[in-house]
Amino acid sequence: MSGASEEIVVPQVHQRIVILGATSAIAEAAARLWATRGARIVLAGRNEARLNEIATDLKARGARETIDWPLDFVSADASAELAKMVEHLGGLDILLLAYGALGDHAELERNPAAAAKLIATNFSSAAAWCLAASAVLEKQRGGTLLVIGSVAGDRGRRSNYIYGATKGGLAHLVEGIAHKLAPLGARAVIIKPGFVDTPMTDAIANKGALWATPEAVAVVIVRAGEKGGPAIYAPGFWRGIMLVVRGLPAPIFNKVNI
């Protein structure tokens, strides 16, 4: 597992970065790494007060510029809002899409409205922002789209198949965008974390050896901003775990309570 203290050597190029869901623990950890390299960062999210706190911290860590961008991602016009962000920055080197909801699976099964809301947040609006970013990168013929997915999208499981379906669909979308952008010199990467100890997972008890910190996942994200893709697991050992999970025959898989 990658440690939070592991050093990343990235040149000081004052990257122009947009973070959607900037108040999430993983996004904040990644922003801190980019800030130490003098990046200019648009911080987008719904909680304006929290965005202000993060911006102040990032400036203290060396960010060349931070721009708070209060926004509801589901109701916003993704293309129009992203165009304004890119105009402010004078271009786009990296867009990190880091927002999403986990939801309570039992409640999602009982409540179609709750399931529809989760799908709108995790897939429909996320897809709109990915497509808007793809159009910008295609026009620039450069830059990188980074999207935080989940290992839950690799195979439907009884414990979280609604959440997993949104992440699986998002992974296919990003991989398709990556295929489209590759000949143009731009990239798209889906990052698939396993279990991460964040406020989103506070309700989950019995966290064990497979759990990672937001800082460890952030290291993987920042590296993905430089190279790699189109699908990267965070930490990397999840690639092997999910290879086994995907390969289990249905008669065996159906007996496993995961």
Coordinates of all heavy atoms in Angstrom, one line a residue, residues 156-251:
G156 N -21.3 -6.5 -10.0 CA -22.5 -6.2 -9.2 C -22.5 -7.2 -8.0 O -22.4 -8.4 -8.2
R157 N -22.7 -6.6 -6.8 CA -22.8 -7.4 -5.6 C -24.1 -7.1 -4.8 O -24.5 -5.9 -4.9 CB -21.6 -7.2 -4.7 CG -20.3 -7.7 -5.3 CD -19.1 -7.4 -4.4 NE -18.7 -6.0 -4.4 CZ -18.7 -5.3 -3.3 NH1 -19.1 -5.8 -2.2 NH2 -18.4 -4.0 -3.4
R158 N -24.6 -8.0 -4.1 CA -25.9 -7.8 -3.4 C -25.8 -6.7 -2.4 O -26.9 -6.1 -2.1 CB -26.4 -9.1 -2.8 CG -25.5 -9.6 -1.7 CD -26.1 -10.8 -0.9 NE -26.2 -12.0 -1.8 CZ -25.5 -13.1 -1.7 NH1 -24.6 -13.2 -0.7 NH2 -25.6 -14.1 -2.5
S159 N -24.7 -6.4 -1.9 CA -24.6 -5.4 -0.8 C -24.6 -4.0 -1.3 O -24.9 -3.1 -0.5 CB -23.3 -5.7 0.0 OG -22.1 -5.5 -0.9
N160 N -24.3 -3.7 -2.6 CA -24.3 -2.3 -3.0 C -24.4 -2.2 -4.6 O -23.8 -1.3 -5.2 CB -23.0 -1.7 -2.6 CG -21.7 -2.2 -3.3 OD1 -21.8 -3.2 -4.0 ND2 -20.6 -1.6 -3.1
Y161 N -25.3 -3.0 -5.2 CA -25.3 -3.0 -6.6 C -25.9 -1.7 -7.3 O -25.6 -1.4 -8.4 CB -26.1 -4.2 -7.2 CG -27.5 -4.3 -6.7 CD1 -28.5 -3.6 -7.4 CD2 -27.9 -5.1 -5.6 CE1 -29.9 -3.7 -7.0 CE2 -29.2 -5.2 -5.2 CZ -30.2 -4.5 -5.9 OH -31.5 -4.7 -5.5
I162 N -26.6 -0.9 -6.5 CA -27.1 0.3 -7.1 C -26.0 1.3 -7.2 O -25.7 1.9 -8.2 CB -28.3 0.9 -6.3 CG1 -29.5 -0.1 -6.3 CG2 -28.8 2.2 -6.9 CD1 -30.6 0.2 -5.4
Y163 N -25.3 1.5 -6.1 CA -24.1 2.4 -6.1 C -23.1 1.8 -7.1 O -22.5 2.6 -7.9 CB -23.5 2.4 -4.7 CG -22.1 3.1 -4.6 CD1 -22.0 4.4 -4.5 CD2 -21.0 2.3 -4.5 CE1 -20.8 5.0 -4.4 CE2 -19.7 2.9 -4.5 CZ -19.6 4.2 -4.4 OH -18.4 4.8 -4.3
G164 N -22.9 0.5 -7.1 CA -21.9 -0.1 -8.0 C -22.2 0.1 -9.4 O -21.4 0.3 -10.3
A165 N -23.5 0.1 -9.8 CA -24.0 0.3 -11.1 C -23.6 1.7 -11.6 O -23.2 1.9 -12.8 CB -25.5 0.1 -11.3
T166 N -23.8 2.7 -10.7 CA -23.4 4.1 -11.1 C -21.9 4.2 -11.4 O -21.5 4.9 -12.3 CB -23.8 5.1 -10.1 OG1 -23.1 4.9 -8.9 CG2 -25.3 5.0 -9.7
K167 N -21.1 3.6 -10.6 CA -19.7 3.6 -10.7 C -19.2 2.8 -11.9 O -18.2 3.1 -12.6 CB -19.0 3.2 -9.5 CG -19.2 4.1 -8.3 CD -18.7 5.5 -8.6 CE -18.8 6.4 -7.4 NZ -18.3 7.8 -7.6
G168 N -19.9 1.7 -12.2 CA -19.5 0.9 -13.4 C -19.8 1.6 -14.6 O -19.0 1.6 -15.6
G169 N -21.0 2.3 -14.7 CA -21.3 3.1 -15.9 C -20.4 4.2 -16.1 O -20.0 4.5 -17.2
L170 N -20.0 4.8 -15.0 CA -19.0 6.0 -15.1 C -17.7 5.5 -15.6 O -17.0 6.2 -16.4 CB -18.9 6.6 -13.7 CG -18.2 8.0 -13.7 CD1 -19.0 9.0 -14.5 CD2 -18.1 8.5 -12.2
A171 N -17.3 4.3 -15.2 CA -16.0 3.8 -15.6 C -16.0 3.5 -17.1 O -15.0 3.8 -17.8 CB -15.7 2.4 -14.9
H172 N -17.1 2.9 -17.6 CA -17.2 2.7 -19.1 C -17.2 4.0 -19.8 O -16.5 4.1 -20.9 CB -18.5 2.0 -19.4 CG -18.4 0.5 -19.2 ND1 -17.6 -0.4 -19.9 CD2 -19.0 -0.3 -18.3 CE1 -17.7 -1.6 -19.5 NE2 -18.5 -1.6 -18.5
L173 N -17.8 5.0 -19.3 CA -17.9 6.3 -20.0 C -16.5 6.9 -20.1 O -16.0 7.4 -21.1 CB -18.8 7.3 -19.2 CG -18.9 8.7 -19.8 CD1 -19.9 8.7 -20.9 CD2 -19.3 9.7 -18.7
V174 N -15.7 6.9 -18.9 CA -14.4 7.5 -18.9 C -13.4 6.7 -19.8 O -12.6 7.3 -20.5 CB -13.9 7.5 -17.4 CG1 -12.4 8.0 -17.4 CG2 -14.7 8.5 -16.6
E175 N -13.5 5.4 -19.8 CA -12.7 4.6 -20.7 C -13.0 4.9 -22.1 O -12.0 4.9 -23.0 CB -12.9 3.1 -20.4 CG -12.3 2.7 -19.0 CD -12.7 1.3 -18.6 OE1 -13.5 0.6 -19.3 OE2 -12.2 0.9 -17.5
G176 N -14.2 5.1 -22.5 CA -14.6 5.5 -23.8 C -14.0 6.9 -24.2 O -13.5 7.1 -25.3
I177 N -14.1 7.8 -23.3 CA -13.5 9.2 -23.5 C -12.0 9.0 -23.7 O -11.4 9.7 -24.5 CB -13.9 10.1 -22.3 CG1 -15.4 10.4 -22.4 CG2 -13.1 11.4 -22.4 CD1 -15.9 11.2 -21.1
A178 N -11.4 8.2 -22.8 CA -9.9 8.0 -23.0 C -9.5 7.5 -24.3 O -8.5 7.9 -24.9 CB -9.4 7.0 -21.9
H179 N -10.3 6.6 -24.8 CA -10.1 6.0 -26.2 C -10.2 7.1 -27.2 O -9.4 7.1 -28.2 CB -11.1 4.9 -26.4 CG -10.7 4.0 -27.6 ND1 -11.7 3.3 -28.4 CD2 -9.6 3.7 -28.2 CE1 -11.1 2.7 -29.3 NE2 -9.8 2.8 -29.2
K180 N -11.2 7.9 -27.1 CA -11.4 9.0 -28.0 C -10.3 10.0 -28.0 O -9.9 10.5 -29.1 CB -12.8 9.7 -27.7 CG -13.1 10.9 -28.6 CD -14.3 11.6 -28.1 CE -14.5 12.9 -28.9 NZ -15.7 13.7 -28.4
L181 N -9.8 10.4 -26.8 CA -8.9 11.5 -26.7 C -7.4 11.0 -27.0 O -6.6 11.9 -27.3 CB -8.9 12.0 -25.2 CG -10.2 12.8 -24.8 CD1 -10.1 13.2 -23.4 CD2 -10.5 13.9 -25.7
A182 N -7.2 9.7 -26.9 CA -5.8 9.2 -27.0 C -5.1 9.7 -28.3 O -3.9 10.2 -28.2 CB -5.7 7.7 -26.9
P183 N -5.7 9.7 -29.4 CA -5.0 10.1 -30.6 C -4.7 11.6 -30.6 O -3.9 12.1 -31.5 CB -5.9 9.7 -31.8 CG -6.9 8.7 -31.2 CD -7.0 9.1 -29.8
L184 N -5.4 12.4 -29.8 CA -5.3 13.8 -29.8 C -4.3 14.4 -28.8 O -4.1 15.6 -28.6 CB -6.7 14.4 -29.4 CG -7.8 14.0 -30.3 CD1 -9.1 14.6 -29.9 CD2 -7.5 14.4 -31.8
G185 N -3.7 13.5 -28.0 CA -2.7 13.9 -27.0 C -3.3 14.2 -25.6 O -2.6 14.7 -24.8
A186 N -4.6 14.0 -25.4 CA -5.2 14.2 -24.1 C -5.5 12.9 -23.5 O -5.4 11.8 -24.1 CB -6.5 15.0 -24.3
R187 N -5.8 12.9 -22.2 CA -6.1 11.6 -21.5 C -7.3 11.7 -20.6 O -7.7 12.8 -20.2 CB -4.9 11.3 -20.6 CG -3.6 11.0 -21.3 CD -2.5 10.5 -20.4 NE -2.3 11.4 -19.3 CZ -2.4 11.0 -18.0 NH1 -2.7 9.7 -17.7 NH2 -2.1 11.8 -17.0
A188 N -7.9 10.6 -20.3 CA -8.9 10.4 -19.3 C -8.6 9.2 -18.5 O -8.2 8.1 -19.1 CB -10.3 10.3 -20.0
V189 N -8.8 9.3 -17.2 CA -8.4 8.1 -16.3 C -9.5 8.0 -15.3 O -9.9 8.9 -14.6 CB -7.1 8.4 -15.6 CG1 -6.7 7.2 -14.7 CG2 -6.0 8.8 -16.6
I190 N -10.0 6.7 -15.1 CA -10.9 6.4 -14.0 C -10.0 5.8 -12.9 O -9.2 4.8 -13.1 CB -12.0 5.4 -14.4 CG1 -12.9 5.1 -13.3 CG2 -11.4 4.1 -15.0 CD1 -14.0 6.2 -13.1
I191 N -10.1 6.4 -11.7 CA -9.3 5.9 -10.5 C -10.3 5.1 -9.7 O -11.4 5.6 -9.3 CB -8.7 7.0 -9.7 CG1 -7.6 7.7 -10.6 CG2 -8.0 6.5 -8.5 CD1 -8.0 9.1 -11.0
K192 N -10.0 3.9 -9.4 CA -10.9 3.0 -8.6 C -10.3 2.7 -7.2 O -9.5 1.7 -7.0 CB -11.0 1.7 -9.4 CG -11.6 1.8 -10.8 CD -11.8 0.5 -11.5 CE -12.4 0.6 -12.9 NZ -12.6 -0.7 -13.5
P193 N -10.7 3.5 -6.2 CA -10.3 3.1 -4.9 C -11.1 2.0 -4.3 O -12.2 1.7 -4.8 CB -10.7 4.4 -4.1 CG -11.0 5.5 -5.1 CD -11.5 4.7 -6.3
G194 N -10.5 1.3 -3.4 CA -11.2 0.3 -2.6 C -11.8 0.9 -1.4 O -12.4 2.0 -1.5
F195 N -11.6 0.3 -0.2 CA -12.2 1.0 1.0 C -11.3 2.1 1.4 O -10.0 2.0 1.5 CB -12.2 -0.1 2.1 CG -13.0 -1.3 1.8 CD1 -12.4 -2.6 1.9 CD2 -14.3 -1.2 1.5 CE1 -13.1 -3.7 1.6 CE2 -15.1 -2.4 1.2 CZ -14.5 -3.6 1.3
V196 N -11.9 3.3 1.6 CA -11.1 4.5 2.0 C -11.8 5.0 3.3 O -13.0 5.2 3.3 CB -11.1 5.5 0.9 CG1 -10.2 6.7 1.4 CG2 -10.6 4.9 -0.4
D197 N -11.0 5.4 4.3 CA -11.5 5.9 5.6 C -11.7 7.4 5.4 O -10.9 8.2 5.6 CB -10.4 5.6 6.7 CG -11.0 5.8 8.1 OD1 -12.2 6.2 8.2 OD2 -10.3 5.6 9.0
T198 N -13.0 7.7 5.1 CA -13.4 9.1 4.9 C -14.7 9.3 5.7 O -15.3 8.4 6.1 CB -13.6 9.4 3.4 OG1 -14.8 8.7 3.0 CG2 -12.4 9.0 2.6
P199 N -15.1 10.6 5.8 CA -16.4 10.8 6.4 C -17.6 10.1 5.7 O -18.6 9.7 6.4 CB -16.6 12.4 6.3 CG -15.2 12.9 6.3 CD -14.4 11.9 5.5
M200 N -17.5 9.8 4.4 CA -18.5 9.0 3.7 C -18.7 7.6 4.3 O -19.8 7.0 4.2 CB -18.2 9.0 2.2 CG -19.2 8.2 1.4 SD -18.7 8.0 -0.3 CE -19.1 9.6 -1.0
T201 N -17.6 7.1 4.8 CA -17.6 5.7 5.3 C -17.6 5.6 6.8 O -17.3 4.5 7.4 CB -16.5 4.9 4.7 OG1 -15.2 5.5 5.0 CG2 -16.6 4.8 3.2
D202 N -17.9 6.7 7.5 CA -17.8 6.7 9.0 C -18.7 5.7 9.6 O -18.4 5.1 10.7 CB -18.2 8.1 9.5 CG -17.0 9.0 9.5 OD1 -15.8 8.5 9.4 OD2 -17.2 10.2 9.7
A203 N -19.9 5.4 8.9 CA -20.9 4.5 9.5 C -20.5 3.0 9.4 O -21.1 2.2 10.0 CB -22.2 4.7 8.8
I204 N -19.4 2.7 8.6 CA -19.0 1.4 8.5 C -18.0 1.0 9.6 O -17.0 1.6 9.8 CB -18.3 1.2 7.1 CG1 -19.2 1.5 6.0 CG2 -17.8 -0.3 7.0 CD1 -18.6 1.4 4.6
A205 N -18.4 -0.1 10.3 CA -17.6 -0.6 11.4 C -16.5 -1.6 10.9 O -16.6 -2.0 9.8 CB -18.5 -1.2 12.5
N206 N -15.7 -2.0 11.8 CA -14.7 -3.1 11.6 C -13.8 -2.8 10.3 O -13.7 -3.6 9.4 CB -15.4 -4.4 11.4 CG -16.3 -4.8 12.6 OD1 -15.9 -4.6 13.7 ND2 -17.5 -5.3 12.3
K207 N -13.2 -1.6 10.3 CA -12.3 -1.3 9.2 C -11.0 -2.1 9.5 O -10.4 -2.0 10.5 CB -12.1 0.2 9.1 CG -13.3 1.0 8.8 CD -13.2 2.5 8.9 CE -14.5 3.1 8.6 NZ -14.5 4.6 8.8
G208 N -10.5 -2.7 8.4 CA -9.3 -3.5 8.6 C -8.2 -3.2 7.7 O -8.0 -2.0 7.2
A209 N -7.4 -4.2 7.3 CA -6.1 -4.0 6.6 C -6.3 -3.5 5.2 O -5.4 -2.9 4.6 CB -5.3 -5.3 6.6
L210 N -7.5 -3.7 4.6 CA -7.7 -3.3 3.2 C -8.0 -1.8 3.1 O -8.1 -1.3 2.0 CB -8.8 -4.2 2.6 CG -8.5 -5.7 2.4 CD1 -9.7 -6.4 1.7 CD2 -7.2 -5.9 1.5
W211 N -8.2 -1.2 4.2 CA -8.7 0.2 4.2 C -7.4 1.1 4.0 O -6.4 0.9 4.5 CB -9.4 0.6 5.5 CG -10.8 0.0 5.5 CD1 -11.1 -1.3 5.7 CD2 -12.0 0.8 5.3 NE1 -12.5 -1.4 5.7 CE2 -13.0 -0.2 5.5 CE3 -12.3 2.1 5.1 CZ2 -14.4 0.2 5.3 CZ3 -13.6 2.5 5.0 CH2 -14.6 1.5 5.1
A212 N -7.6 2.1 3.1 CA -6.6 3.1 2.8 C -7.0 4.5 3.4 O -8.2 4.7 3.6 CB -6.4 3.2 1.3
T213 N -6.0 5.3 3.5 CA -6.3 6.7 3.9 C -6.5 7.6 2.6 O -6.1 7.2 1.5 CB -5.1 7.3 4.6 OG1 -3.9 7.4 3.7 CG2 -4.7 6.4 5.8
P214 N -7.2 8.7 2.8 CA -7.4 9.6 1.7 C -6.0 10.1 1.1 O -5.9 10.3 -0.1 CB -8.1 10.8 2.3 CG -8.9 10.2 3.5 CD -8.0 9.2 4.0
E215 N -5.0 10.2 2.0 CA -3.7 10.7 1.5 C -3.1 9.7 0.6 O -2.4 10.0 -0.4 CB -2.8 11.0 2.7 CG -3.2 12.2 3.5 CD -4.4 12.0 4.4 OE1 -4.8 10.8 4.7 OE2 -5.0 13.0 4.9
A216 N -3.2 8.4 0.9 CA -2.6 7.3 0.1 C -3.3 7.3 -1.3 O -2.7 7.2 -2.3 CB -2.8 6.0 0.7
V217 N -4.6 7.5 -1.3 CA -5.3 7.5 -2.6 C -5.0 8.8 -3.4 O -4.8 8.8 -4.6 CB -6.9 7.5 -2.4 CG1 -7.6 7.6 -3.7 CG2 -7.2 6.1 -1.7
A218 N -4.7 9.9 -2.7 CA -4.4 11.1 -3.3 C -3.0 11.0 -4.1 O -2.9 11.6 -5.2 CB -4.3 12.3 -2.3
V219 N -2.1 10.2 -3.5 CA -0.8 10.0 -4.2 C -1.1 9.3 -5.5 O -0.5 9.7 -6.6 CB 0.1 9.2 -3.3 CG1 1.3 8.7 -4.1 CG2 0.5 9.9 -2.1
V220 N -2.0 8.4 -5.6 CA -2.3 7.7 -6.8 C -2.9 8.6 -7.8 O -2.6 8.6 -9.0 CB -3.2 6.5 -6.6 CG1 -3.6 5.8 -7.9 CG2 -2.6 5.5 -5.6
I221 N -3.8 9.5 -7.3 CA -4.5 10.5 -8.2 C -3.5 11.4 -8.8 O -3.6 11.7 -10.0 CB -5.6 11.2 -7.4 CG1 -6.7 10.3 -7.0 CG2 -6.1 12.4 -8.2 CD1 -7.7 10.9 -6.1
V222 N -2.6 12.0 -8.0 CA -1.6 13.0 -8.6 C -0.7 12.3 -9.6 O -0.4 12.9 -10.6 CB -0.9 13.6 -7.4 CG1 0.3 14.5 -7.9 CG2 -1.8 14.4 -6.5
R223 N -0.3 11.1 -9.3 CA 0.5 10.3 -10.3 C -0.3 10.1 -11.6 O 0.2 10.2 -12.7 CB 0.9 9.0 -9.8 CG 2.1 9.1 -8.8 CD 2.5 7.7 -8.3 NE 3.7 7.8 -7.5 CZ 4.0 6.9 -6.6 NH1 3.2 5.9 -6.3 NH2 5.1 7.0 -5.9
A224 N -1.6 9.8 -11.5 CA -2.4 9.6 -12.7 C -2.6 10.9 -13.5 O -2.8 10.8 -14.7 CB -3.8 9.1 -12.2
G225 N -2.4 12.0 -12.8 CA -2.4 13.3 -13.5 C -1.2 13.5 -14.4 O -1.2 14.3 -15.4
E226 N -0.2 12.7 -14.2 CA 1.1 12.8 -15.0 C 1.2 11.7 -16.0 O 1.7 11.9 -17.1 CB 2.3 12.7 -14.0 CG 2.3 13.7 -12.9 CD 2.3 15.1 -13.5 OE1 3.1 15.4 -14.4 OE2 1.6 16.0 -12.9
K227 N 0.7 10.5 -15.7 CA 0.8 9.4 -16.6 C -0.1 8.2 -16.2 O -0.6 8.2 -15.1 CB 2.2 8.9 -16.7 CG 2.8 8.3 -15.4 CD 4.2 7.9 -15.6 CE 4.7 7.3 -14.3 NZ 6.1 6.8 -14.4
G228 N -0.3 7.3 -17.1 CA -1.1 6.1 -16.8 C -2.5 6.2 -17.2 O -3.0 7.1 -17.8
G229 N -3.2 5.0 -17.0 CA -4.6 4.9 -17.4 C -4.8 3.9 -18.4 O -3.9 3.2 -18.8
P230 N -6.1 3.7 -18.9 CA -7.2 4.5 -18.5 C -7.9 4.1 -17.2 O -8.8 4.8 -16.8 CB -8.2 4.3 -19.7 CG -7.9 2.9 -20.1 CD -6.4 2.7 -20.0
A231 N -7.5 3.0 -16.6 CA -8.1 2.6 -15.3 C -7.0 2.3 -14.4 O -6.1 1.5 -14.7 CB -9.0 1.4 -15.5
I232 N -7.0 2.9 -13.2 CA -6.0 2.7 -12.2 C -6.7 2.4 -10.8 O -7.6 3.1 -10.4 CB -5.1 4.0 -12.0 CG1 -4.4 4.2 -13.3 CG2 -4.2 3.9 -10.9 CD1 -3.6 5.5 -13.3
Y233 N -6.2 1.4 -10.1 CA -6.7 1.0 -8.8 C -5.9 1.7 -7.7 O -4.7 1.9 -7.9 CB -6.6 -0.5 -8.6 CG -7.6 -1.3 -9.5 CD1 -7.3 -1.6 -10.8 CD2 -8.9 -1.6 -9.0 CE1 -8.2 -2.2 -11.7 CE2 -9.8 -2.3 -9.8 CZ -9.5 -2.6 -11.1 OH -10.4 -3.2 -12.0
A234 N -6.6 2.0 -6.6 CA -6.0 2.8 -5.6 C -6.4 2.2 -4.2 O -7.6 2.3 -3.9 CB -6.3 4.3 -5.7
P235 N -5.4 1.7 -3.5 CA -4.1 1.3 -3.8 C -4.1 0.2 -4.9 O -5.1 -0.5 -5.1 CB -3.5 0.8 -2.5 CG -4.3 1.4 -1.4 CD -5.7 1.4 -2.0
G236 N -2.9 -0.1 -5.5 CA -2.8 -0.9 -6.6 C -3.1 -2.4 -6.4 O -3.5 -3.1 -7.3
F237 N -3.0 -2.8 -5.1 CA -3.3 -4.3 -4.9 C -4.8 -4.6 -5.2 O -5.1 -5.8 -5.3 CB -3.0 -4.7 -3.4 CG -3.7 -3.9 -2.3 CD1 -5.0 -4.2 -2.0 CD2 -3.1 -2.9 -1.6 CE1 -5.7 -3.6 -1.0 CE2 -3.8 -2.3 -0.6 CZ -5.1 -2.6 -0.3
W238 N -5.7 -3.6 -5.3 CA -7.1 -3.9 -5.6 C -7.2 -4.4 -7.0 O -8.2 -5.1 -7.3 CB -7.9 -2.6 -5.4 CG -8.3 -2.4 -4.0 CD1 -7.7 -1.5 -3.1 CD2 -9.3 -3.1 -3.3 NE1 -8.3 -1.7 -1.9 CE2 -9.3 -2.6 -2.0 CE3 -10.2 -4.1 -3.6 CZ2 -10.2 -3.1 -1.0 CZ3 -11.1 -4.5 -2.6 CH2 -11.1 -4.0 -1.4
R239 N -6.2 -4.2 -7.9 CA -6.3 -4.8 -9.2 C -6.4 -6.3 -9.2 O -7.2 -7.0 -9.8 CB -5.1 -4.3 -10.1 CG -5.1 -4.9 -11.5 CD -4.0 -4.4 -12.3 NE -4.1 -3.0 -12.6 CZ -4.9 -2.5 -13.6 NH1 -5.6 -3.3 -14.4 NH2 -5.0 -1.2 -13.8
G240 N -5.5 -6.9 -8.3 CA -5.5 -8.3 -8.2 C -6.7 -8.9 -7.5 O -7.3 -9.9 -7.9
I241 N -7.2 -8.1 -6.4 CA -8.4 -8.6 -5.7 C -9.6 -8.6 -6.7 O -10.4 -9.6 -6.7 CB -8.6 -7.6 -4.5 CG1 -7.6 -7.8 -3.5 CG2 -10.0 -7.9 -3.9 CD1 -7.7 -6.8 -2.3
M242 N -9.7 -7.5 -7.5 CA -10.9 -7.5 -8.3 C -10.8 -8.4 -9.5 O -11.8 -8.9 -10.1 CB -11.1 -6.0 -8.8 CG -11.4 -5.0 -7.7 SD -12.6 -5.6 -6.5 CE -14.1 -5.8 -7.5
L243 N -9.5 -8.8 -9.9 CA -9.4 -9.8 -10.9 C -9.9 -11.1 -10.4 O -10.6 -11.8 -11.2 CB -7.9 -9.9 -11.3 CG -7.5 -10.9 -12.4 CD1 -8.1 -10.5 -13.7 CD2 -6.0 -11.1 -12.5
V244 N -9.7 -11.4 -9.2 CA -10.3 -12.7 -8.6 C -11.8 -12.6 -8.5 O -12.5 -13.5 -8.8 CB -9.6 -12.9 -7.2 CG1 -10.3 -14.1 -6.5 CG2 -8.1 -13.2 -7.4
V245 N -12.3 -11.4 -8.0 CA -13.7 -11.2 -7.8 C -14.5 -11.4 -9.1 O -15.5 -12.0 -9.2 CB -14.0 -9.9 -7.1 CG1 -15.5 -9.6 -7.1 CG2 -13.5 -9.8 -5.7
R246 N -13.9 -10.7 -10.2 CA -14.6 -10.8 -11.5 C -14.5 -12.2 -12.1 O -15.4 -12.6 -12.9 CB -13.9 -9.8 -12.5 CG -14.2 -8.3 -12.2 CD -13.8 -7.4 -13.3 NE -12.5 -7.7 -13.8 CZ -11.4 -7.0 -13.3 NH1 -11.5 -6.1 -12.4 NH2 -10.2 -7.3 -13.8
G247 N -13.5 -12.9 -11.7 CA -13.3 -14.2 -12.3 C -14.1 -15.3 -11.6 O -14.1 -16.5 -12.2
L248 N -14.7 -15.1 -10.5 CA -15.4 -16.1 -9.8 C -16.6 -16.6 -10.6 O -17.4 -15.8 -11.0 CB -15.8 -15.7 -8.4 CG -14.8 -15.5 -7.3 CD1 -15.4 -14.9 -6.1 CD2 -14.2 -16.9 -7.0
P249 N -16.7 -17.9 -10.8 CA -18.0 -18.4 -11.5 C -19.2 -18.1 -10.7 O -19.1 -18.1 -9.5 CB -17.7 -19.9 -11.6 CG -16.2 -20.1 -11.4 CD -15.8 -19.0 -10.5
A250 N -20.3 -17.8 -11.4 CA -21.5 -17.4 -10.7 C -22.0 -18.4 -9.5 O -22.4 -17.9 -8.5 CB -22.7 -17.2 -11.7
P251 N -21.9 -19.7 -9.8 CA -22.3 -20.6 -8.7 C -21.5 -20.4 -7.4 O -22.0 -20.6 -6.3 CB -22.1 -22.0 -9.3 CG -22.2 -21.8 -10.8 CD -21.6 -20.4 -11.0

